[in-house]
Amino acid sequence: MTHVSTAKEEAASTGDLVALRSVDKHFGALHVLQDIDLTIARGEVVVVIGPSGSGKSTLCRTINRLETIDSGTITIDGKPLPEEGRQLARLRADVGMVFQSFNLFAHKTVLENVMLGQIKVRRTDKRQAEERARALLDRVGVGAQADKYPAQLSGGQQQRVAIARALAMEPKVMLFDEPTSALDPEMINEVLEVMQQLARDGMTMIVVTHEMGFARSAANRVVFMADGRIVEEAAPDQFFSNPRSDRAKDFLSKIL
Ligand code: ADP
Ligand code: MG
């Protein structure tokens, strides 16, 4: 019997969890993503850096289909992103997202925030959802805040709740878009430590951040973007000590 390998099998065999091929996107006349090729292996931590406006957030948003693309393909665990409907909701649940602004539901308690998606999208029963929510809140160090409302928590605590909420969906990959940029300096480390632990636990992660200490210690690979393109990809040591492109050299000279 002949056997034609499917995209799914191919992705499984290469271990790529996220694959973008020739992805292009415009906002009107602005070519915001230009011919993006990017693969992320299972368990890999990729840090995306680059100047403001280079397309980092848009890249993240295309990966969980908050933005459509004009051409190219994006696959998650071998499956192309569906256009819409329940399939999209399920696939989106495979991609956890943490934003700069914490985006918690203000009128729900911390515990409810972490239970809601499990019940509505994953169809988890309530008792099990609560059990998982409490365990995750403990894991990110905010178990004692479970019955409070988001506004009663510090920014660092709220962002850790947002991480717990994303993890509650049992995502295959976590996207972080500048998760510490809105935090007071003394709260940045408590969030980065949770992310470090997640990386050590083997989570596949795409992290947009200006925290170069995190990039050096947690990233397997740094992706440098400028003007909608991936200009350079390298191991963190190599990238920081010996960037190849002038754009990267210029960027690093401004932030380091
Ligand atoms: P970064 O996250 O690297 O700062 P973004 O992906 O947010 O970059 O934005 C890239 C470019 O796309 C910017 O010039 C921004 O103004 C523009 N842009 C982002 N979102 C939209 C949108 N919804 N409509 C029009 N332009 C947008
Ligand atoms: Mg951004």
Side-chain angles (χ1 to χ4, degrees):
M1 202 169 81
T2 55
H3 183 82
V4 180
S5 79
T6 62
K8 182 175 179 171
E9 284 164 348
E10 203 173 296
S13 64
T14 59
D16 287 338
L17 192 50
V18 180
L20 289 82
R21 306 268 180 222
S22 309
V23 168
D24 275 281
K25 178 171 183 66
H26 295 77
F27 285 122
L30 177 69
H31 199 170
V32 62
L33 296 178
Q34 303 189 35
D35 197 22
I36 300 286
D37 280 303
L38 179 65
T39 56
I40 292 119
R42 218 171 288 278
E44 196 178 17
V45 177
V46 172
V47 163
V48 179
I49 66 173
S52 176
S54 55
K56 305 179 301 294
S57 291
T58 305
L59 178 74
C60 286
R61 293 167 60 81
T62 61
I63 294 173
N64 72 346
R65 198 57 168 70
L66 289 169
E67 299 279 2
T68 57
I69 57 176
D70 299 337
S71 61
T73 59
I74 300 177
T75 56
I76 307 291
D77 209 5
K79 293 191 281 288
L81 286 175
E83 289 296 313
E84 55 196 5
R86 271 205 67 73
Q87 253 189 320
L88 178 59
R90 215 172 299 132
L91 197 87
R92 222 178 239 160
D94 286 341
V95 183
M97 182 127 182
V98 175
F99 303 89
Q100 180 175 332
S101 53
F102 324 125
N103 291 347
L104 297 173
F105 300 113
H107 57 290
K108 303 273 184 203
T109 66
V110 163
L111 183 69
E112 286 164 350
N113 264 278
V114 183
M115 288 174 63
L116 213 60
Q118 299 183 64
I119 293 167
K120 289 214 187 291
V121 180
R122 290 293 194 206
R123 307 277 178 213
T124 311
D125 79 66
K126 214 175 155 192
R127 204 178 45 84
Q128 205 183 328
E130 178 172 344
E131 207 170 291
R132 185 183 296 154
R134 289 195 186 278
L136 283 167
L137 289 169
D138 282 342
R139 180 167 160 196
V140 301
V142 291
Q145 320 298 326
D147 299 320
K148 292 187 180 163
Y149 287 86
Q152 296 173 280
L153 271 57
S154 73
Q157 289 173 325
Q158 288 187 56
Q159 192 61 302
R160 284 182 285 150
V161 174
I163 293 172
R165 183 176 62 174
L167 290 175
M169 304 299 279
E170 301 187 302
K172 292 176 176 166
V173 53
M174 286 280 286
L175 304 181
F176 293 88
D177 188 5
E178 300 201 29
T180 60
S181 296
L183 296 176
D184 291 334
E186 74 271 19
M187 292 169 191
I188 290 175
N189 277 339
E190 66 193 47
V191 172
L192 292 179
E193 274 162 25
V194 167
M195 292 167 61
Q196 286 272 11
Q197 188 57 53
L198 205 54
R200 279 194 293 269
D201 291 346
M203 177 59 78
T204 307
M205 296 164 62
I206 301 171
V207 184
V208 179
T209 186
H210 300 301
E211 294 294 331
M212 296 303 134
F214 175 84
R216 278 177 183 279
S217 62
N220 299 111
R221 184 155 46 111
V222 172
V223 169
F224 175 72
M225 284 185 76
D227 299 330
R229 292 183 181 277
I230 294 178
V231 174
E232 195 162 336
E233 277 186 73
D237 279 354
Q238 190 193 331
F239 180 77
F240 290 114
S241 62
N242 194 16
R244 291 188 304 271
S245 63
D246 289 340
R247 290 300 302 265
K249 283 176 194 160
D250 180 55
F251 178 76
L252 288 174
S253 74
K254 285 172 184 152
I255 61 158
L256 291 180

